[in-house]
Amino acid sequence: MKMEEKNESLKIVKKRWNWLRKNIGQNIIDFFQMKDQREEEENQLNDEEDIELLLVEANAFGLRWEVDSTAKQMMEQNPVLPKIEAYVQAYNEWIK
């Protein structure tokens, strides 16, 4: 009888460990995915601020619309071009 109880107890402990491993591992994965997602959102906000600063600077030369439309045109022609890069290139193209 004692041996059966030990075996049953061992099975329960193994199930708990498996459950813990699965949940802890998933929590770690979720944590890092959320961290990466938050960092990406922060980078997007920084890019938007930088783009707005470029457009404000272009506006000082009366070229805001030109820089904006050129950047949008560049992104249409090259969909993999990052938005910030398109605006920097457009700004440099118009403000020489």
Side-chain angles (χ1 to χ4, degrees):
M1 195 67 150
K2 287 225 176 209
M3 188 62 132
E4 289 177 12
E5 289 175 3
K6 285 183 181 180
N7 285 339
E8 188 64 31
S9 180
L10 192 59
K11 285 180 185 178
I12 292 171
V13 169
K14 283 182 181 180
K15 285 182 183 180
R16 286 182 184 162
W17 273 113
N18 288 335
W19 182 83
L20 283 172
R21 280 190 198 118
K22 178 184 172 192
N23 288 327
I24 290 172
Q26 189 61 46
N27 287 341
I28 291 170
I29 291 169
D30 291 345
F31 169 78
F32 282 107
Q33 285 177 341
M34 291 300 292
K35 182 180 175 190
D36 291 343
Q37 186 178 8
R38 281 191 302 268
E39 287 175 358
E40 189 170 321
E41 288 171 0
E42 288 174 7
N43 288 340
Q44 272 185 332
L45 290 175
N46 289 341
D47 286 352
E48 292 297 324
E49 291 172 0
D50 292 343
I51 289 168
E52 187 57 34
L53 288 174
L54 283 170
L55 291 174
V56 166
E57 184 68 24
N59 194 44
F61 294 99
L63 296 170
R64 181 184 177 103
W65 183 86
E66 288 83 352
V67 170
D68 189 42
S69 63
T70 301
K72 288 176 181 174
Q73 211 173 30
M74 288 177 172
M75 289 185 297
E76 283 178 15
Q77 293 172 354
N78 185 1
V80 296
L81 182 67
K83 188 174 183 179
I84 185 71
E85 187 64 32
Y87 277 87
V88 168
Q89 287 179 13
Y91 177 84
N92 288 332
E93 196 173 297
W94 282 96
I95 312 294
K96 294 179 182 178

